[in-house]
């Protein structure tokens, strides 16, 4: 024990004064505690920040009409212009590119500017489509009317063009933004049932079905399309169905198969005039082939309404448009629509001309004068146009009403004839 005593005394003895005098002092902190840097100097408020704070919110800014965004404030001392207002706003240009290689481009006209879709109804319809794994041409083709068609006050007032057979096409038209592939994924066997269920849930009175081209399939997807129409008619017999189909590589028997499935309107788009078809559409499509499809669909069933759509602004001439309309009347097409071509991406063919609303109205009147049942014509008009659908729906209902009256009269005539015998 005598040998361990000095060690115990060292451990329990007080610390010498010369050691405590040099011991450093510090404060223990948590490992996650961030050092408190000096706060940056407060910047004085500026006039721009004040104007930004009192300005409109993001939603209000998006909803502003183009005239409110582009018009410059005028001085109270500036006298009003005596020139009469133009029927169409002038086109605006801009210089783009590096300083030594500037080029002039035409900016998007005000009549083609549309609001960004942000309504609750738009979000509900989009959620329904994703939940059932359905696609729409509204999204795939970047339609500018998606806010108008999907953003109604309720779902029953909204319309959506369902795109069948997936979102990948086997053709590569120079105007279309739908994805392309030589070997798209196989068809979804549950798609007809899911489509019919979604449309029944929305409670629509008129629906448009379209599809990608599927040249990889023996029937081009015609049987899948026809099965979808039959499913819809089973679940919602009163719903009117418009089918916007491809040309099925010229196989007119497939056209008959779809036309006889129970649909009410058969639509197939010629897209442009005959002279521009090789530059605009896929090489497997043709203007004359499209005319044969429309003619065959017209004769498939009595009272069938046929419809086609044309894009303007691709470089077509007035005489070419006249000739196209004459060819459409020869095959007894009922409805034609005119809309402005808008370049989806830089990879697609550029816009040749922005056609003014006045010119669109001129062609609408010309088409009606030639005997077309209906013509929707305007910069934002597309093949499945909401106003056009309402008109066609009324025409179909009136025709069905007259047909029912005629059938009743014929039945009564047969009954009276049998009674007299």
């Amino acid at each position: 024990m005598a040998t361990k005593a000095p060690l115990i005394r060292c451990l329990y003895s007080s610390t010498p004064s010369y050691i405590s005098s040099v011991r450093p002092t510090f404060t223990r902190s948590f490992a996650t505690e961030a050092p408190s840097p000096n706060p940056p100097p407060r910047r004085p408020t500026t006039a721009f920040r004040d104007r930004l704070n009192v300005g409109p919110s993001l939603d209000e800014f998006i909803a502003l009409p183009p005239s409110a965004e582009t018009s410059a404030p005028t001085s109270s001392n500036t006298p009003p212009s005596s020139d009469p207002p133009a029927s169409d706003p002038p086109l605006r240009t801009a210089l783009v590119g590096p300083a030594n290689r500037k080029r002039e481009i035409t900016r998007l006209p005000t009549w083609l500017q549309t609001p960004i879709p942000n309504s609750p109804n738009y979000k509900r319809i989009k959620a329904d489509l994703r939940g059932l794994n359905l696609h729409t041409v509204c999204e795939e083709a970047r339609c500018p009317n998606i806010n108008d068609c999907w953003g109604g006050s309720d779902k029953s007032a909204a319309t959506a063009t369902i795109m069948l057979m997936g979102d990948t096409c086997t053709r590569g038209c120079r105007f279309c933004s739908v994805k392309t592939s030589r070997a798209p994924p196989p068809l979804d066997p549950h798609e007809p049932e899911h489509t019919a269920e979604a449309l029944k849930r929305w409670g629509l009175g008129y629906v448009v079905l379209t599809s990608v081209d599927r040249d990889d399939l023996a029937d081009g997807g015609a049987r899948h399309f026809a099965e979808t129409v039959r499913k819809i008619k089973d679940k919602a017999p009163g719903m009117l169905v418009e089918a916007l189909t491809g040309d099925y590589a010229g196989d007119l028997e497939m056209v008959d198969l779809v036309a006889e499935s129970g649909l009410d309107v058969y639509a197939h788009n010629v897209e442009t005039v005959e002279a521009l078809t090789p530059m605009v559409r896929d090489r497997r499509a043709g203007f004359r082939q499209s005319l044969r499809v429309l003619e065959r669909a017209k004769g498939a069933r009595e009272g069938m309404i046929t419809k086609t759509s044309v894009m303007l602004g691709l470089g077509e001439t007035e005489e070419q448009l006249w000739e196209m309309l004459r060819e459409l009347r020869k095959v007894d097409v009922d409805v034609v629509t005119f809309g402005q071509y808008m370049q989806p991406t830089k990879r697609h063919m550029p816009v040749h001309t922005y056609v003014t609303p006045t010119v669109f109205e001129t062609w609408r009147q010309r088409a009606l004068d030639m005997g077309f049942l209906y013509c929707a014509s305007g910069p934002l008009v597309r093949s499945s146009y909401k106003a056009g659908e309402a008109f066609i729906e009324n025409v179909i209902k009136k025709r069905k009403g007259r047909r029912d009256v005629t059938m009743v009269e014929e039945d009564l005539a047969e009954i009276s004839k049998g009674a007299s015998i």
Side-chain angles (χ1 to χ4, degrees):
M1 294 298 292
T3 59
K4 295 182 180 179
L7 178 61
I8 295 175
R9 283 197 299 269
C10 290
L11 291 174
Y12 291 97
S13 63
S14 61
T15 304
S17 60
Y18 69 90
I19 296 179
S20 62
S21 62
V22 297
R23 176 180 293 177
T25 60
F26 61 92
T27 304
R28 182 178 181 183
S29 62
F30 293 104
T32 57
E33 183 178 354
S36 56
N38 295 328
R42 184 178 179 84
R43 296 180 60 184
T45 58
T46 62
F48 174 75
R49 179 175 294 181
D50 294 338
R51 291 174 57 192
L52 191 64
N53 290 335
V54 300
S57 65
L58 177 61
D59 291 337
E60 292 171 342
F61 177 77
I62 292 173
L64 282 176
S67 59
E69 299 172 29
T70 58
S71 60
T74 58
S75 173
S76 58
N77 298 326
T78 304
S81 175
S82 58
D83 298 333
S87 57
D88 295 312
L91 293 175
R92 299 176 299 164
T93 60
L95 294 175
V96 298
N100 58 339
R101 289 186 297 170
K102 292 285 186 181
R103 59 187 180 92
E104 186 179 70
I105 64 169
T106 302
R107 300 189 66 181
L108 188 69
T110 55
W111 59 79
L112 287 174
Q113 296 174 6
T114 57
I116 298 173
N118 194 31
S119 66
N121 201 41
Y122 167 84
K123 296 176 182 178
R124 285 196 298 269
I125 290 180
K126 188 170 185 178
D128 282 350
L129 292 168
R130 296 295 83 82
L132 293 171
N133 194 27
L134 299 177
H135 305 279
T136 66
V137 74
C138 317
E139 297 171 293
E140 302 300 330
R142 306 184 183 187
C143 180
N145 298 321
I146 191 169
N147 182 70
D148 184 34
C149 294
W150 289 23
S153 58
D154 52 42
K155 286 187 180 180
S156 61
T159 58
T161 302
I162 303 296
M163 190 166 69
L164 304 175
M165 296 186 279
D167 61 352
T168 307
C169 186
T170 54
R171 298 189 183 181
C173 298
R174 293 186 62 202
F175 66 89
C176 184
S177 64
V178 176
K179 293 184 293 185
T180 62
S181 173
R182 292 182 179 179
L187 299 182
D188 178 8
H190 304 293
E191 186 177 50
E193 182 70 26
H194 288 170
T195 302
E197 182 60 34
L199 296 176
K200 179 186 177 183
R201 184 185 304 173
W202 293 346
L204 303 178
Y206 191 104
V207 64
V208 181
L209 303 177
T210 188
S211 70
V212 293
D213 282 296
R214 294 297 300 262
D215 297 293
D216 58 318
L217 304 175
D219 63 349
R223 290 179 175 82
H224 188 88
F225 207 126
E227 178 63 20
T228 305
V229 176
R230 284 191 286 267
K231 290 283 187 182
I232 293 173
K233 289 293 185 177
D234 289 342
K235 289 182 175 290
M239 185 178 295
L240 301 180
V241 180
E242 175 184 327
L244 174 58
T245 75
D247 56 16
Y248 300 113
D251 190 344
L252 299 182
E253 292 184 0
M254 298 299 103
V255 176
D256 292 337
L257 181 65
V258 176
E260 295 169 357
S261 62
L263 56 85
D264 302 282
V265 180
Y266 195 108
H268 174 70
N269 293 341
V270 297
E271 307 294 3
T272 186
V273 297
E274 184 172 12
L276 295 181
T277 296
M279 286 76 74
V280 175
R281 302 174 69 184
D282 186 270
R283 59 180 177 79
R284 287 163 286 187
F287 183 81
R288 296 290 163 180
Q289 183 166 277
S290 293
L291 290 180
R292 289 192 291 271
V293 169
L294 290 166
E295 185 177 23
R296 186 64 169 257
K298 186 67 175 180
R301 180 173 59 79
E302 183 182 357
M304 174 72 76
I305 294 179
T306 52
K307 175 183 173 183
T308 194
S309 232
V310 182
M311 297 178 292
L312 301 186
L314 295 167
E316 65 283 340
T317 64
E318 189 166 322
E319 181 53 40
Q320 290 170 345
L321 286 172
W322 277 117
E323 180 61 26
M324 179 202 66
L325 290 177
R326 285 191 286 266
E327 292 296 328
L328 292 175
R329 287 306 300 145
K330 287 180 182 178
V331 296
D332 204 15
V333 172
D334 297 297
V335 179
V336 62
T337 66
F338 293 103
Q340 171 70 53
Y341 166 65
M342 297 173 67
Q343 185 182 20
T345 69
K346 292 182 179 180
R347 297 184 296 104
H348 295 82
M349 61 185 304
V351 177
H352 185 273
T353 309
Y354 284 116
V355 183
T356 63
T358 302
V359 175
F360 275 108
E361 175 59 25
T362 300
W363 282 109
R364 185 191 73 85
Q365 192 57 51
R366 288 173 177 175
L368 295 176
D369 293 341
M370 292 183 67
F372 286 94
L373 178 67
Y374 177 76
C375 175
S377 181
L380 293 174
V381 170
R382 294 297 179 264
S383 179
S384 52
Y385 188 59
K386 197 170 184 179
E389 293 171 2
F391 177 86
I392 297 171
E393 181 179 358
N394 290 332
V395 170
I396 294 173
K397 288 181 178 178
K398 287 180 180 178
R399 286 187 177 182
K400 286 186 175 181
R402 288 197 297 267
R403 192 180 304 120
D404 292 341
V405 170
T406 303
M407 292 176 61
V408 170
E409 291 176 349
E410 292 176 353
D411 292 341
L412 291 175
E414 289 292 333
I415 293 173
S416 60
K417 182 179 178 182
S420 61
I421 294 175

